[in-house]
Amino acid sequence: MTSISTALRDNLRDKLWRQCDDLGWMSLQDVERARYYELWTRDASIGGQLAHVMDARKVRVYIKDSLVKPYVRARLSLNEAEVWRSLGLTSIDRVVHVYIKPHGRRTEDGRVIGWGRSRDWKSVLMAVFERGRAQSSFRSFGVVLLESGKTEAERSRNLVREAAQRLGIEKLAWLE
């Protein structure tokens, strides 16, 4: 079995990322995503090419973890300027630490912020809470959720607001 060439990986990644953009991947439910993973795995131009260079049983996991998961991270990073604006932060607020999974930053004055899809609201809120408690000079400042269909209803948003308040997160905002 040979390894996946850079050219093959890059071509498949570009193809899948274009499809993810067209599908509105960031707001698809898990059931819909699973259907597309299955379609891509069976597609001769995607899964078929991968099956030539890796164990066919590992193709779906490779598509999900190595090709599509970086898409989600990259798309979340595109929203950073909007996140800062939503929380009232500016370029004066210097970043001293970058967090990944979920996305976040800590500013020079100890404010911790985080952002992610609304479908992941629990992990985003908890991450900001935990990071804000790592040292006494840190504080859980803000969370921005990119609406992905999970918290569109006011009742759901009220639950998220209450959780943020109880966790001591000072600001909470949504990007539609």
Side-chain angles (χ1 to χ4, degrees):
M1 178 166 50
T2 61
S3 64
I4 298 166
S5 72
T6 302
L8 175 59
R9 183 198 65 224
D10 291 350
N11 287 336
L12 292 176
R13 181 198 59 222
D14 293 348
K15 180 178 185 168
L16 288 173
W17 284 28
R18 280 191 303 276
Q19 288 186 30
C20 287
D21 283 341
D22 293 343
L23 293 167
W25 190 260
M26 298 297 285
S27 61
L28 289 182
Q29 299 296 320
D30 290 339
V31 173
E32 295 171 278
R33 288 175 178 222
R35 187 170 62 87
Y36 282 104
Y37 286 132
E38 189 61 31
L39 289 170
W40 291 331
T41 300
R42 294 176 186 270
D43 184 327
S45 69
I46 300 170
Q49 287 190 55
L50 289 169
H52 287 297
V53 295
M54 68 187 315
D55 184 332
R57 295 170 295 187
K58 296 181 180 181
V59 168
R60 185 181 190 280
V61 172
Y62 181 82
I63 290 170
K64 181 179 178 189
D65 292 346
S66 299
L67 299 175
V68 178
K69 195 175 280 186
Y71 168 87
V72 172
R73 283 192 213 111
R75 292 306 180 255
L76 286 172
S77 293
L78 292 175
N79 293 304
E80 186 169 355
E82 291 178 71
V83 167
W84 282 71
R85 276 192 298 281
S86 296
L87 296 174
L89 298 169
T90 67
S91 59
I92 296 169
D93 300 301
R94 195 167 77 83
V95 172
V96 294
H97 190 81
V98 174
Y99 301 102
I100 301 172
K101 287 188 174 184
H103 281 63
R105 306 287 184 261
R106 188 179 73 244
T107 60
E108 192 170 40
D109 63 2
R111 289 179 291 176
V112 175
I113 67 167
W115 68 95
R117 297 172 296 178
S118 63
R119 63 185 275 155
D120 302 323
W121 70 268
K122 292 174 189 171
S123 62
V124 177
L125 264 61
M126 284 307 298
V128 170
F129 171 75
E130 289 174 3
R131 292 167 182 168
R133 298 300 185 273
Q135 290 186 18
S136 62
S137 62
F138 298 172
R139 72 183 215 245
S140 304
F141 180 71
V143 168
V144 176
L145 299 172
L146 288 70
E147 185 53 61
S148 60
K150 186 70 173 175
T151 60
E152 290 174 316
E154 194 59 29
R155 182 177 175 168
S156 297
R157 288 195 178 189
N158 286 336
L159 175 66
V160 176
R161 285 184 191 103
E162 183 179 347
Q165 181 182 17
R166 288 179 183 235
L167 291 170
I169 296 169
E170 298 174 36
K171 292 189 174 191
L172 175 65
W174 274 266
L175 292 177
E176 302 298 330

